[in-house]
Amino acid sequence: MKAFNRLSQRQQNMMRFMHNYMQERGFPPSIREIGEECDIGSTSVVNYNLNKLVDAGYIERSGKVSRGLRIIGAIPGLSSGPRVFGAPGPQRVALVGRIAAGEPIALPDDIGHHIDEDDYIAVPPQMLSGYDENEVFALTVRGNSMIDSMIQDGDIVILRQQNTAENGEMVAAWLSEENETTLKHFYREAEQIRLQPANQEYQPIYVHPSNCEVKGKVLSVMRNFH
Amino acid sequence: MKAFNRLSQRQQNMMRFMHNYMQERGFPPSIREIGEECDIGSTSVVNYNLNKLVDAGYIERSGKVSRGLRIIGAIPGLSSGPRVFGAPGPQRVALVGRIAAGEPIALPDDIGHHIDEDDYIAVPPQMLSGYDENEVFALTVRGNSMIDSMIQDGDIVILRQQNTAENGEMVAAWLSEENETTLKHFYREAEQIRLQPANQEYQPIYVHPSNCEVKGKVLSVMRNFH
DNA sequence: AGTATACACGAACATTTGTTTGTGCCGCAA
DNA sequence: TTGCGGCACAAACAAATGTTCGTGTATACT
């Protein structure tokens, strides 16, 4: 369990409001704005809890100056809530694990309680294709089994959680018979599913629908060289 | 020429200060702080120029509220200055053009005056490998000639400007004899340079140093699916 | 010259806003 | 009970801060 369990409901509300406010307006809210939104009658109470949040390491304050606060750490969402992080900064999505041939994919929900702050990665908005960061997760590719899809060891793939796919979309699919995970373009054909590699020099593979379990749609890929 | 040429020196200073301030403190400066830093004696003058910047589309203001401003567009740096953009948000680097076999690479300096706001792309910090965003640029890959390096049409490559490279680094190189641009791993050998594709199923090519002009080092690759 | 426009200055003003102080409630331990 | 610490409330205070107004100075145009 993490430190945010020590935050009161009121403090959680404040964190959430501050985050949303900064996300929307680009600058932090004033003490009175926080109080009004969180049903706190007195500015001193807001101030009090703000200092609590500072002690807890969630925010920093610049004394004397109006709106002099910034969010430092993770925001504890609602119990089942969104994994939202502090602004300013790029979007952040959960980096939930690795994908490799021969291993099943662990989805965010399966390991939701194990996600730490370090398991998040910054992703620029344009790589989310308009989807909300909460329905998106990231996987690190292990091994070169996806090389026929132009994806190699160490790449990070950004996916949206979904169990179906439209024709032509690239998906992460679990092939139960072959016992492996793969990233391919998805085509539902008459009696079968065609999984087409991105690299056209490779041949497509054909599987039965019952053998193909879509885990998510690939939105983008990031690769770093060191 | 672009709109920022219409900004006075004073307004450019203001933009730069506001950007740095937000970068550093996480919230916008007050009118008086701007004035003090930019040697403006009167708050009304700051206010006046602030409204000018709004008209020019560089910032937005929320009336009545303190520090109620956010940066929207590009910041005109110094004359030869950094191409810095507004916080909060991911880093932004110049997307200067396209890279394709048979075409030379246009470097930022060559086309510096043509960079528009739309020619910038958000890049998360970890993809800059610690380099400053000002020495980094981005190229859109056209064609599939880099497919042997696991890079395909539509990919965006992030590069750092440099004319040499260490062994093993992936570089963008212009081969004058072959009259084409390529992305390969760079190895300086006895009498020649070996350019090694990332995909090990492809063979390396060997060129004479005089034939190989390094344009930049590849830091990372981004790929979006639509 | 006369006028208009852009830009700048300083001062006064009206809010906004962070800080402080005094008080009260509640649970818990001595 | 008494006392203490955590938390909350309201009011008042002191700065910080955005806004407005009257004025001045160039520059260009008629």
Side-chain angles (χ1 to χ4, degrees):
Chain A
M1 296 299 183
K2 291 251 149 293
F4 60 75
N5 291 320
R6 310 178 129 252
L7 295 185
S8 68
Q9 185 61 47
R10 178 168 264 176
Q11 286 158 356
Q12 292 190 26
N13 283 342
M14 289 170 58
M15 285 299 289
R16 201 145 39 93
F17 170 66
M18 288 188 292
H19 170 264
N20 291 338
Y21 189 101
M22 294 180 68
Q23 193 84 35
E24 195 170 305
R25 324 257 316 239
F27 51 86
S30 70
I31 282 188
R32 281 174 179 78
E33 285 173 325
I34 297 174
E36 188 173 339
E37 182 69 19
C38 300
D39 289 313
I40 302 175
S42 176
T43 59
S44 64
V45 180
V46 178
N47 187 59
Y48 171 83
N49 286 287
L50 238 29
N51 287 330
K52 283 303 206 179
L53 291 173
V54 172
D55 293 338
Y58 282 92
I59 64 174
E60 285 180 6
R61 297 186 73 188
S62 302
K64 302 285 186 182
V65 301
S66 59
R67 302 168 191 272
L69 56 88
R70 53 188 166 282
I71 297 177
I72 295 299
I75 295 181
L78 305 175
S79 52
S80 68
R83 283 178 276 274
V84 183
F85 276 76
Q91 315 285 45
R92 286 167 172 272
V93 305
L95 182 62
V96 299
R98 335 204 286 187
I99 179 174
E103 289 180 19
I105 306 177
L107 287 185
D109 283 345
D110 301 333
I111 59 175
H113 301 298
H114 295 323
I115 297 183
D116 201 351
E117 298 182 22
D118 297 331
D119 296 331
Y120 284 77
I121 183 177
V123 177
Q126 80 269 13
M127 297 191 75
L128 297 185
S129 301
Y131 290 105
D132 190 274
E133 60 193 72
N134 300 314
E135 51 183 338
V136 169
F137 62 103
L139 295 171
T140 302
V141 173
R142 283 298 160 222
N144 281 313
S145 61
M146 321 295 182
I147 205 166
D148 58 352
S149 293
M150 303 294 289
I151 292 172
Q152 59 180 320
D153 184 79
D155 288 4
I156 293 176
V157 290
I158 315 295
L159 303 99
R160 172 177 183 256
Q161 267 189 69
Q162 55 185 49
N163 298 319
T164 62
E166 302 294 320
N167 278 348
E169 291 180 339
M170 175 173 271
V171 299
W174 171 250
L175 305 180
S176 48
E177 280 184 16
E178 288 80 358
N179 193 43
E180 74 173 37
T181 304
T182 188
L183 297 173
K184 297 264 190 317
H185 288 283
F186 178 94
Y187 291 94
R188 180 177 294 277
E189 298 186 340
E191 289 280 319
Q192 60 192 0
I193 289 173
R194 181 173 105 244
L195 297 176
Q196 179 80 45
N199 189 337
Q200 299 188 356
E201 298 185 18
Y202 289 79
Q203 294 303 311
I205 65 178
Y206 297 91
V207 297
H208 290 288
S210 62
N211 181 31
C212 179
E213 189 175 339
V214 172
K215 293 293 189 179
K217 174 172 73 171
V218 177
L219 303 179
S220 47
V221 179
M222 304 193 307
R223 179 182 308 150
N224 263 18
F225 301 96
H226 306 289
Chain B
M1 296 300 183
K2 289 267 146 268
F4 61 76
N5 291 320
R6 312 177 128 250
L7 295 184
S8 69
Q9 185 61 47
R10 179 168 265 176
Q11 286 158 355
Q12 294 190 26
N13 283 341
M14 289 171 58
M15 286 298 289
R16 199 145 42 92
F17 170 65
M18 289 187 292
H19 170 264
N20 291 337
Y21 189 102
M22 294 179 68
Q23 193 84 35
E24 195 170 304
R25 323 262 311 244
F27 50 87
S30 69
I31 281 188
R32 280 174 180 78
E33 285 173 324
I34 298 174
E36 188 173 339
E37 181 69 18
C38 300
D39 289 313
I40 302 175
S42 175
T43 60
S44 64
V45 179
V46 179
N47 187 59
Y48 171 82
N49 286 290
L50 238 29
N51 287 330
K52 283 302 208 178
L53 290 173
V54 171
D55 293 339
Y58 283 92
I59 63 174
E60 284 181 6
R61 296 186 73 187
S62 301
K64 302 285 187 184
V65 300
S66 59
R67 301 168 190 272
L69 56 87
R70 54 189 167 281
I71 296 178
I72 296 299
I75 295 181
L78 305 174
S79 52
S80 67
R83 283 178 275 273
V84 183
F85 276 75
Q91 316 284 46
R92 286 166 171 272
V93 304
L95 183 62
V96 300
R98 334 205 286 189
I99 180 173
E103 288 180 19
I105 307 177
L107 286 184
D109 283 344
D110 302 333
I111 60 174
H113 301 297
H114 295 321
I115 296 182
D116 199 352
E117 298 182 23
D118 298 330
D119 296 331
Y120 284 77
I121 185 177
V123 177
Q126 79 268 14
M127 296 190 76
L128 297 186
S129 301
Y131 290 105
D132 190 274
E133 61 192 71
N134 301 314
E135 50 183 338
V136 169
F137 63 102
L139 294 171
T140 302
V141 173
R142 282 298 160 220
N144 282 314
S145 61
M146 322 295 183
I147 204 166
D148 59 351
S149 293
M150 304 292 290
I151 292 173
Q152 60 181 320
D153 184 79
D155 287 5
I156 293 176
V157 290
I158 315 295
L159 302 100
R160 171 177 184 256
Q161 266 188 69
Q162 55 186 48
N163 298 318
T164 62
E166 303 293 321
N167 278 349
E169 291 180 339
M170 176 173 270
V171 300
W174 170 250
L175 305 180
S176 47
E177 279 184 17
E178 288 80 358
N179 194 42
E180 73 172 38
T181 304
T182 187
L183 297 173
K184 296 266 189 313
H185 288 283
F186 177 94
Y187 292 94
R188 180 178 295 276
E189 299 187 338
E191 289 279 318
Q192 60 193 0
I193 290 173
R194 180 173 106 244
L195 297 176
Q196 179 80 44
N199 188 337
Q200 299 189 356
E201 298 185 18
Y202 290 79
Q203 293 303 311
I205 64 177
Y206 297 91
V207 297
H208 289 288
S210 63
N211 182 30
C212 178
E213 191 175 338
V214 172
K215 292 294 188 179
K217 174 172 72 172
V218 177
L219 303 179
S220 48
V221 178
M222 304 193 308
R223 179 182 307 150
N224 263 18
F225 301 96
H226 308 287

